[in-house]
Amino acid sequence: MRVRTAVAISAAIATAAAMLSACSAGDPSSDSDQIVVWGTWDMEDDASGMAEGAAALQGMIDSFESETGTSVVYESVPFDQLFQKVSLAVQSGGDIPDVVETASQEVFSRPDVFMDITSLLADAPFQSQVGESEKTTCVHDGVRRCVAVNIGSTAWFYSPSLLGDVAWPQTDEEWLTAGAELKAKGLYIASFYAGRDAAGVEQTWAPAIISAGGEIFDANGKPAWANDATVDVVTWMRELLARGYVPETNFTGDFAAGEQPFIDGDAVGLRGGSWSAQFVPPLAEGLPTGDAVVGAAPSIDGGPGYVTLYGQGWAVPEGAANPEDAAAFLAHLMTPSNQATWATAAYRIPTNAEAFADPGFAEVFASNQAFYTAIQNLTDDYGLVLPTSPCYTEALTRLGETLQTLMLDSNADAMDALLAAQNEVAGSCG
């Protein structure tokens, strides 16, 4: 996803507008003047870290309605309920939205839920403007099931002033060495979220397990985490916790609890995401000035230090009443100016290369170039898209529960617990 020379943005937008107008005509027998959109952004929110992103989305909805004459009925759904809600709607034949926001990892795990939109978007201008990261998250074996409006990844941040003369660790052994030196100064080496749900596995555990040479799912999407690499990661994490190098709330708290030690200055590092500056003041204030920087992800057993790659995906569910206008809305989100607007609001990297020339994003990029360049390099070189599975969310949740139990009970046999959880989920994963 390297930045390339931009072509005329105005021409791209004009072409996109023409395509949108053509798509919006739709089938006269269908309700082609309205689409229903489900997303995680609360349009009534004017205070939280997601407020700017919500405002940006509302602006894109307004411009879509103005350009196409198609109205948008938007419903906000909590992020941890959205995937289940749309899956149940499709399975039951209930009220199915035309467009839904979804994590890119989930789209190909459930092809029965999300429509193949390859042909609907075949002629959209963004197809020639996006890079490999977008296609990696939303196109598998030539089939497109989503669009990635922007790319984000997990990231390890740290404060150079707190780190002092200790080098930011890059390997599991270096983490233990640096942890001891920082503990002597009354500091944790890092805080992070590794709780008992799918997100904790996606963002913290899975990159480490795969770095160590293990896997979460096999080639058929069956759970396969009961392996020596996972045991090695559990052993390493247990040692960090037992020695007091990381806080226990990393494993028992929520996302906010994982951020708080870094916010308070008690932890040198933070495993957040490219989006974390929305929520963590020391990052918003420190990244532009160099008081906070992006560091390497931990290498386990000599493997690469992976970060989890996310495409902020939007898809069309199976059974949608108006897929043509839904596809037009997706194309609208993918224009250079819209991507630039959203990336600026949400600390994300546009997937449309021409967005980098948009004046709004170009100014933000220039003022915080070290951050954006570091995230680009991470996603290009160490971005990890987790394998798909028909029981993706259920399996990762069960694994997260098991890993938390192992962290809180140091006497529990790791392989036995991992194998029991794996066998439990495998029986219903098909």
Side-chain angles (χ1 to χ4, degrees):
M1 191 179 55
R2 300 295 185 193
V3 180
R4 66 179 187 186
T5 302
V7 300
I9 293 178
S10 58
I13 295 175
T15 303
M19 188 279 293
L20 288 168
S21 297
C23 286
S24 65
D27 180 351
S29 65
S30 68
D31 184 8
S32 61
D33 59 353
Q34 176 179 293
I35 59 171
V36 176
V37 177
W38 290 357
T40 61
W41 305 83
D42 182 358
M43 300 306 181
E44 303 302 318
D45 173 17
D46 59 2
S48 80
M50 295 181 70
E52 288 189 43
L57 176 58
Q58 184 62 64
M60 288 183 268
I61 289 173
D62 292 343
S63 61
F64 175 75
E65 291 179 324
S66 175
E67 292 174 16
T68 67
T70 300
S71 64
V72 176
V73 177
Y74 179 82
E75 179 181 345
S76 172
V77 182
F79 82 95
D80 57 348
Q81 300 175 25
L82 184 53
F83 177 68
Q84 181 180 22
K85 182 173 180 178
V86 70
S87 298
L88 289 174
V90 171
Q91 292 165 1
S92 66
D95 293 331
I96 300 171
D98 298 289
V99 174
V100 63
E101 182 180 7
T102 180
S104 55
Q105 282 90 336
E106 295 170 339
V107 173
F108 286 90
S109 291
R110 292 298 302 273
D112 57 320
V113 173
F114 300 103
M115 185 181 295
D116 177 352
I117 53 177
T118 310
S119 61
L120 287 171
L121 290 170
D123 298 324
F126 78 83
Q127 295 279 17
S128 63
Q129 300 162 353
V130 296
E132 287 305 310
S133 291
E134 195 278 339
K135 295 172 184 175
T136 296
T137 58
C138 280
V139 181
H140 288 195
D141 299 324
V143 175
R144 176 177 287 279
R145 294 192 187 273
C146 64
V147 298
V149 177
N150 44 59
I151 289 291
S153 74
T154 54
W156 290 90
F157 303 98
Y158 68 90
S159 167
S161 62
L162 288 178
L163 191 63
D165 58 357
V166 179
W168 177 253
Q170 299 191 37
T171 70
D172 44 2
E173 287 300 321
E174 288 175 358
W175 268 70
L176 294 170
T177 300
E181 295 179 77
L182 292 170
K183 183 182 180 182
K185 300 180 180 182
L187 295 168
Y188 294 118
I189 187 171
S191 56
F192 47 85
Y193 177 67
R196 55 185 289 113
D197 61 11
V201 176
E202 279 183 342
Q203 297 184 13
T204 301
W205 289 102
I209 292 167
I210 295 172
S211 172
E215 59 182 351
I216 307 298
F217 299 108
D218 66 18
N220 297 315
K222 293 282 190 179
W225 55 66
N227 52 65
D228 290 339
T230 308
V231 173
D232 286 350
V233 173
V234 170
T235 301
W236 174 65
M237 284 284 202
R238 278 175 162 175
E239 195 165 1
L240 288 171
L241 179 59
R243 295 185 183 186
Y245 300 164
V246 298
E248 185 176 298
T249 51
N250 288 357
F251 308 99
T252 60
D254 58 12
F255 276 101
E259 295 165 350
Q260 199 60 48
F262 182 76
I263 293 172
D264 293 341
D266 295 328
V268 168
L270 170 70
R271 201 284 298 136
S274 56
W275 54 85
S276 290
Q278 295 174 88
F279 311 103
V280 181
L283 293 181
E285 298 160 4
L287 287 168
T289 63
D291 292 333
V293 298
V294 178
S299 161
I300 312 298
D301 291 350
Y306 289 117
V307 295
T308 310
L309 180 64
Y310 289 94
Q312 185 180 359
W314 293 82
V316 181
E318 289 286 356
N322 197 352
E324 290 81 11
D325 283 348
F329 181 74
L330 298 187
H332 182 69
L333 296 179
M334 295 293 283
T335 61
S337 60
N338 280 335
Q339 285 213 359
T341 297
W342 212 343
T344 300
Y347 287 88
R348 299 289 181 113
I349 304 293
T351 57
N352 189 318
E354 295 177 16
F356 286 86
D358 182 274
F361 185 72
E363 181 179 349
V364 171
F365 185 91
S367 67
N368 205 349
Q369 188 169 353
F371 163 71
Y372 284 106
T373 300
I375 296 299
Q376 279 185 279
N377 291 338
L378 280 176
T379 58
D380 284 345
D381 299 333
Y382 301 106
L384 175 69
V385 177
L386 294 188
T388 60
S389 169
C391 57
Y392 179 87
T393 302
E394 299 89 338
L396 292 192
T397 300
R398 188 68 188 90
L399 176 55
E401 294 168 351
T402 303
L403 291 168
Q404 186 195 68
T405 298
L406 290 172
M407 292 305 300
L408 300 181
D409 181 1
S410 60
N411 294 319
D413 184 274
M415 183 61 82
D416 287 349
L418 291 166
L419 187 59
Q422 177 176 294
N423 291 339
E424 176 187 325
V425 177
S428 58
C429 184

